[in-house]
Amino acid sequence: MVGPLLIRLRDLGLLVTGLENVSPSMSRAVIEAFIRLHEKGLIYQGSYMVNWSPKLQTAVSDLEVEYSEEPGTLYYIKYRVAGGSRSDFLTIATTRPETLFGDVAIAVHPQDERYSKYVGKMAIVPMTYGRHVPIISDKYVDKDFGTGVLKISPGHDHNDYVLARKLGLPILNVMNKDGTLNEVAGLYCGLDRFEARKKLWSDLEETDLAVKMEPHSLRVPRSQRGGEVIEPLVSKQWFVTMQPLAEKALLAVEKGELTIIPERFEKIYNHWLTNIKDWCISRQLWWGHRIPVWYIVGNDCEEEYIVARSAEEALMKARDKYGKDVEVYQDPDVLDTWFSSALWPFSTLGWPDELAEDFKRFYPTTMLETGHDILFFWVARMVMMGIEFTGTVPFSYVYLHGLIRDSQGRKMSKTLGNVIDPLDTIKEFGTDALRFTLALGTSGQDLNLSTERLTANKAFTNKLWNAGKFLLQVLPNRDNVSGWQNIEACKFNTEGYLLRLPLPECWVVSKLHMLIDAVTESYNKFFFGDVGREIYDFFWGDFADWYIEASKARIYHSGDDSVALVAQTVLLYVFENILKLLHPFMPFVTEELWQALPNRREALIISSWPQTALPRSTDLVKRFENLQALTRAIRNARAEYSVEPAKRVTASIVGSEEVIQYISEEKEVLALLSKLDLDNIHFADSPPEDAKQSVHLIASEGLEAYLPLADMVDISAEVQRLTKHLSKMQTEYEGLKARLNSPKFIEKAPKDVVRGVQEKAAEAEEKINLTKNRLALLKSTVMLLQ
């Protein structure tokens, strides 16, 4: 099947960090990776716009920012034109008025005639004691948003930052690291950013510089970890240049060295890597590896630093460069935990020692299985780092599963109170039922986990267990040596042996062999949901519902030990292969059942996978399907006429000579499954004499059955019951038709209500016609019997 799996662990970044803190080899790998990237010029330090988390006091990467649509406000503010009259002002619309203290320019579109006369002049920033900024023109400005005038605050907006760097404008920061305004904000210094917004707007209103405020939907960036609003901030951080790494990762998919499942995620992967930005890898949380960079004590210039594998090495390098009396201190920042996680496929195997036994044996591996939500956080970064440091993609396949949501499709959260504890779920439904439920999901699609699904799969587990108990009851005792020798002598891998089996046995073995091929193919294609559904349908729909029931005719009613032996052998063969196929999904119950079976020589987990391309007979499968269709037709007729469950009825089976031959050979099975009177089942090539007094069933083309009415029900009592029931249905139908014939109802009632009444009327009419036909049949039967 597949090779070693890399299994996603919850909160992987935290878990890996915890592992590395107690593992020198892991720490060594992280430091080595940083140094090698730095030596190649791929790691650099600089002051750039980052996503800042005021609550956590750290920078976070773009991937750790979640955007949500939230109601907000658009504030309209007057910026007076310096040297102009009171009517000379520009109105700016902004969602963050508190950042106006960081304005360095006002911009309008070059083709916006409303403001062309002001381009080249200066505007006065409100509430800044008359600070002037230039009024410029740039095509970046959207004429149709707000008033068509843009305030440029490059210290607090990603787009403004890019524009300012293009135009050579200065960067002005008005925010402290804790989200309060700094001294640049003057009287507002020390106020929280949101408090400052309220106070500033109040002051703008008093000075007649506030125009209006209106509701506006905002795309708010929030920290994935802390949930607070992210503040764009220019900060000195460490970055990895990603483009050279991304190009190799893109090429790996293009060349087929890496396959992403499901395929649609390849487009997302390619889009992200094609448009990748440099990765901010420094964090100010004490959570992760210290950045292996040292500075000189007493040297104010942090542009001069030393990268080293240890403090001792850093000190040695510093003394060589600055003298023996120099002292060093390490950078206080730590690495993003995803940086160390990106090294996981090979750092856990001994890298950078590429001669380590584990590294040589297990790297690269076959498959990574993880959630689609960390395709960028983790998967793409592992691919880039794997290629960079080992020259090879770390795995050949990436299988992305969906996220687990509640029964309504909502994300689980403590706030909603919809978190499903897996331990509580296991106590109530069992580990295997939970595993099977989750594994039935389609790759890449989120799964709505409900108690209904869990209950259904718990019932499946119980059905499997009960099937195992049945086998243990009917198989020979462990000390029955000759019985087990006879069972083990049977081989189902030859077509000759298969075709000598009776019809039900040949059918179930053929279906099993088809299942093995289908399941093996689905496993190899990673269609795990299909695997689960295929096994489920075969076990419950074919083996349990049909063959186990059919086998009872052999074991309990045949009176022939050789016939019973065939059934016992087939039961064991099919069941043990079902356990093998199902074991990856439900390891505990399948192993328990496997080892409970007599003569187990090894555990299920190490047993061989079922052989594929085994013989099967499609013709005999179709024959048994005819027998199934006949059984279903008889069962439906019994239910329709409310025949008592224990009552055995007479039947005449009509068909061609060929069909009658193989159906009659399974007379005992048909009688058992359909609850027919074994001594009164008649086979013929034409309808019986009492056909008109019988219920006529068409099972399939060339196969029919006649069930005498008098043998099924008390005809007089049934006529009375149906007549009373027909009268009630007629009354209900007339009421529905009266509503539909009312113009007032048709005109005023909602369309879906009218449609519902129409559907009920049509259904009632159909039931009335069926009941009339049944009554006519019953009455004609009464007349013929008189």
Side-chain angles (χ1 to χ4, degrees):
M1 300 303 292
V2 295
L5 296 181
L6 288 175
I7 304 300
R8 177 193 181 188
L9 303 173
R10 186 181 177 185
D11 296 326
L12 180 86
L14 307 186
L15 184 143
V16 171
T17 299
L19 177 65
E20 293 160 347
N21 284 339
V22 296
S23 175
S25 63
M26 300 293 179
S27 295
R28 176 188 168 208
V30 174
I31 293 169
E32 185 67 27
F34 183 97
I35 290 174
R36 290 191 187 184
L37 290 173
H38 185 269
E39 288 174 347
K40 290 185 70 173
L42 295 176
I43 285 183
Y44 64 93
Q45 187 185 44
S47 294
Y48 296 95
M49 176 70 71
V50 297
N51 302 300
W52 185 261
S53 170
K55 183 178 178 181
L56 298 175
Q57 294 279 292
T58 183
V60 295
S61 73
D62 291 343
L63 294 178
E64 294 171 277
V65 179
E66 295 180 338
Y67 290 87
S68 60
E69 292 292 329
E70 300 179 18
T73 304
L74 198 57
Y75 300 87
Y76 290 78
I77 304 170
K78 290 181 182 178
Y79 279 59
R80 299 197 184 280
V81 178
S85 65
R86 290 186 64 83
S87 61
D88 288 319
F89 62 84
L90 299 174
T91 301
I92 291 174
T94 178
T95 59
R96 304 178 65 213
E98 70 278 7
T99 62
L100 64 77
F101 300 107
D103 290 353
V104 296
I106 302 299
V108 297
H109 195 278
Q111 296 176 357
D112 196 333
E113 296 179 357
R114 294 174 296 174
Y115 309 116
S116 59
K117 63 181 179 180
Y118 296 125
V119 174
K121 297 185 177 182
M122 304 293 284
I124 304 171
V125 181
M127 313 307 292
T128 60
Y129 303 103
R131 185 166 65 85
H132 289 34
V133 295
I135 302 172
I136 62 175
S137 64
D138 194 275
K139 292 182 180 179
Y140 171 77
V141 179
D142 183 356
K143 293 189 295 181
D144 300 322
F145 177 77
T147 61
V149 183
L150 175 70
K151 59 187 285 297
I152 301 177
S153 311
H156 301 280
D157 183 272
H158 287 282
N159 294 324
D160 289 2
Y161 177 77
V162 173
L163 184 60
R165 294 192 69 180
K166 182 185 81 170
L167 300 175
L169 297 171
I171 309 295
L172 192 57
N173 175 33
V174 303
M175 202 81 65
N176 295 314
K177 297 293 178 67
D178 62 356
T180 60
L181 271 60
N182 61 25
E183 64 280 359
V184 176
L187 294 174
Y188 302 88
C189 178
L191 287 178
D192 175 78
R193 50 187 169 158
F194 300 116
E195 292 177 8
R197 182 181 299 176
K198 293 178 183 178
K199 178 172 172 47
L200 175 61
W201 183 252
S202 176
D203 292 345
L204 288 169
E205 288 179 319
E206 289 183 9
T207 55
D208 197 30
L209 294 175
V211 179
K212 64 176 180 177
M213 53 189 289
E214 60 184 24
H216 181 70
S217 180
L218 302 177
R219 190 165 177 262
V220 179
R222 290 189 176 275
S223 167
Q224 189 185 60
R225 290 177 184 264
E228 81 279 13
V229 176
I230 287 294
E231 186 64 42
L233 207 65
V234 175
S235 176
K236 195 171 189 178
Q237 304 288 339
W238 290 92
F239 296 85
V240 177
T241 302
M242 298 303 292
Q243 187 176 350
L245 304 176
E247 288 173 353
K248 296 176 184 177
L250 284 165
L251 192 60
V253 171
E254 184 182 328
K255 293 169 63 177
E257 296 171 358
L258 176 66
T259 302
I260 299 174
I261 304 166
E263 187 178 357
R264 69 177 185 275
F265 281 96
E266 281 190 10
K267 292 181 180 179
I268 301 172
Y269 171 93
N270 290 339
H271 177 77
W272 184 71
L273 288 177
T274 302
N275 299 279
I276 199 167
K277 298 178 181 178
D278 286 357
W279 178 13
C280 176
I281 57 171
S282 50
R283 297 290 182 270
Q284 289 66 49
L285 286 174
W286 197 255
W287 197 278
H289 294 273
R290 287 284 294 276
I291 291 177
V293 169
W294 282 261
Y295 303 98
I296 308 303
V297 174
N299 189 344
D300 293 334
C301 180
E302 289 193 349
E303 301 303 320
E304 296 182 17
Y305 57 82
I306 295 168
V307 178
R309 291 173 174 79
S310 64
E312 293 76 16
E313 182 183 330
L315 185 59
M316 187 184 305
K317 287 184 176 181
R319 286 177 176 174
D320 288 343
K321 187 173 182 179
Y322 299 101
K324 293 184 178 180
D325 296 331
V326 75
E327 293 182 13
V328 296
Y329 66 94
Q330 191 171 357
D331 193 311
D333 289 355
V334 299
L335 288 166
D336 178 5
T337 54
W338 290 108
F339 182 87
S340 50
S341 298
L343 312 176
W344 197 56
F346 48 92
S347 64
T348 54
L349 302 176
W351 186 89
D353 180 7
E354 297 189 9
L355 297 178
E357 285 302 316
D358 284 350
F359 183 85
K360 289 193 296 182
R361 181 177 180 184
F362 295 115
Y363 189 88
T365 190
T366 304
M367 182 181 184
L368 168 76
E369 190 279 338
T370 189
H372 66 70
D373 57 324
I374 54 173
L375 177 60
F376 310 130
F377 277 117
W378 193 38
V379 178
R381 288 168 174 169
M382 281 192 287
V383 174
M384 288 186 281
M385 294 301 184
I387 296 173
E388 174 64 24
F389 294 119
T390 71
T392 309
V393 291
F395 25 73
S396 302
Y397 299 93
V398 175
Y399 181 91
L400 300 171
H401 63 245
L403 306 182
I404 308 302
R405 299 183 179 273
D406 72 4
S407 58
Q408 300 177 43
R410 300 174 302 177
K411 210 170 183 179
M412 294 185 193
S413 73
K414 291 181 180 179
T415 305
L416 293 174
N418 63 344
V419 176
I420 299 175
D421 189 323
L423 296 179
D424 293 340
T425 305
I426 287 170
K427 286 180 183 177
E428 184 175 356
F429 299 99
T431 306
D432 287 309
L434 177 59
R435 284 173 60 98
F436 193 69
T437 302
L438 299 181
L440 284 180
T442 304
S443 63
Q445 291 185 8
D446 294 351
L447 176 71
N448 296 350
L449 186 61
S450 65
T451 53
E452 289 78 15
R453 288 190 181 204
L454 291 164
T455 301
N457 290 322
K458 181 181 180 180
F460 176 64
T461 311
N462 291 338
K463 189 80 171 178
L464 189 70
W465 184 262
N466 289 333
K469 286 175 62 178
F470 172 75
L471 258 73
L472 292 174
Q473 290 171 2
V474 301
L475 288 175
N477 294 328
R478 293 175 185 271
D479 54 0
N480 187 341
V481 177
S482 61
W484 281 102
Q485 286 177 343
N486 290 333
I487 287 176
E488 291 172 358
C490 298
K491 304 298 179 186
F492 296 93
N493 57 355
T494 64
E495 187 176 12
Y497 185 86
L498 178 76
L499 296 177
R500 288 196 299 272
L501 291 172
L503 182 60
E505 283 69 24
C506 183
W507 166 77
V508 76
V509 171
S510 294
K511 293 276 283 189
L512 172 69
H513 291 171
M514 295 175 188
L515 176 73
I516 292 171
D517 288 356
V519 163
T520 302
E521 184 178 0
S522 293
Y523 264 127
N524 289 333
K525 291 180 178 179
F526 311 114
F527 295 166
F528 301 125
D530 291 348
V531 170
R533 285 183 284 275
E534 287 162 352
I535 300 172
Y536 181 101
D537 291 343
F538 173 77
F539 168 75
W540 201 310
D542 292 334
F543 182 66
D545 283 356
W546 286 95
Y547 184 68
I548 284 182
E549 296 305 313
S551 72
K552 293 174 183 177
R554 317 283 199 219
I555 296 168
Y556 298 133
H557 305 298
S558 68
D560 186 335
D561 289 345
S562 62
V563 172
L565 177 65
V566 172
Q568 291 169 331
T569 304
V570 170
L571 281 168
L572 179 62
Y573 175 71
V574 175
F575 189 65
E576 65 183 8
N577 276 288
I578 288 171
L579 295 181
K580 287 183 177 184
L581 298 176
L582 197 54
H583 186 63
F585 287 84
M586 309 176 84
F588 302 104
V589 67
T590 52
E591 188 71 71
E592 188 76 16
L593 288 168
W594 174 271
Q595 301 210 22
L597 294 171
N599 300 331
R600 298 299 96 183
R601 297 180 179 85
E602 60 184 6
L604 176 58
I605 194 171
I606 59 170
S607 65
S608 59
W609 185 253
Q611 185 181 341
T612 57
L614 291 169
R616 74 285 313 267
S617 172
T618 54
D619 289 340
L620 293 180
V621 166
K622 289 178 181 177
R623 287 185 177 187
F624 189 79
E625 287 172 352
N626 273 344
L627 180 63
Q628 286 178 304
L630 178 60
T631 302
R632 290 192 187 99
I634 296 172
R635 286 174 175 175
N636 291 339
R638 291 177 63 99
E640 185 179 349
Y641 283 89
S642 303
V643 179
E644 294 177 5
K647 185 175 179 63
R648 301 282 170 171
V649 300
T650 301
S652 294
I653 311 301
V654 178
S656 64
E657 183 179 349
E658 178 190 7
V659 173
I660 289 300
Q661 181 178 350
Y662 67 75
I663 293 292
S664 62
E665 288 176 357
E666 300 303 333
K667 180 179 178 179
E668 290 80 5
V669 172
L670 177 63
L672 180 66
L673 297 180
S674 306
K675 294 187 178 179
L676 299 178
D677 183 350
L678 183 61
D679 296 327
N680 284 295
I681 304 177
H682 309 289
F683 297 92
D685 58 3
S686 60
E689 293 181 0
D690 60 353
K692 292 184 178 180
Q693 296 92 50
S694 302
V695 177
H696 180 206
L697 307 174
I698 300 177
S700 60
E701 187 176 351
L703 180 60
E704 303 174 15
Y706 292 85
L707 308 179
L709 264 174
D711 198 40
M712 295 172 66
V713 294
D714 182 332
I715 296 178
S716 298
E718 185 69 4
V719 167
Q720 290 179 7
R721 187 186 72 82
L722 287 178
T723 301
K724 186 177 180 180
H725 184 55
L726 179 61
S727 176
K728 183 180 178 182
M729 286 194 295
Q730 292 269 26
T731 303
E732 292 176 355
Y733 175 69
E734 288 167 4
L736 293 169
K737 290 299 289 183
R739 293 179 70 187
L740 292 173
N741 291 331
S742 170
K744 189 179 294 185
F745 173 74
I746 298 296
E747 292 172 5
K748 294 186 177 181
K751 290 183 179 180
D752 57 335
V753 173
V754 174
R755 187 165 53 250
V757 174
Q758 290 171 337
E759 290 172 355
K760 286 181 180 179
E763 184 180 348
E765 185 178 15
E766 184 179 352
K767 289 181 178 178
I768 287 170
N769 290 332
L770 288 172
T771 305
K772 285 180 177 179
N773 291 336
R774 285 181 61 186
L775 267 172
L777 175 62
L778 289 168
K779 289 176 179 178
S780 65
T781 302
V782 170
M783 292 177 63
L784 289 168
L785 292 174
Q786 288 176 347

